[in-house]
Amino acid sequence: MLWSDPENEPPKELRDTQDMLRRLGVLMALAMVLAMIVIGVR
């Protein structure tokens, strides 16, 4: 590996997008669990 090699790191926009998608996935999972509980109670 040379010192001039670019860092193996995605650009900031890509990292922000990945963080947003991760949060959205967690939110969707929580919403699904909540929906299951609501459906199960009825």
Side-chain angles (χ1 to χ4, degrees):
M1 258 183 68
L2 300 172
W3 288 107
S4 59
D5 284 349
E7 288 184 25
N8 193 12
E9 206 176 281
K12 188 182 186 319
E13 299 89 30
L14 187 60
R15 276 180 282 153
D16 288 347
T17 305
Q18 285 173 341
D19 286 345
M20 195 181 66
L21 285 174
R22 199 172 296 125
R23 284 192 210 107
L24 193 65
V26 170
L27 207 65
M28 287 292 289
L30 288 174
M32 289 294 287
V33 170
L34 198 63
M36 294 288 189
I37 291 171
V38 168
I39 290 171
V41 166
R42 289 187 175 182

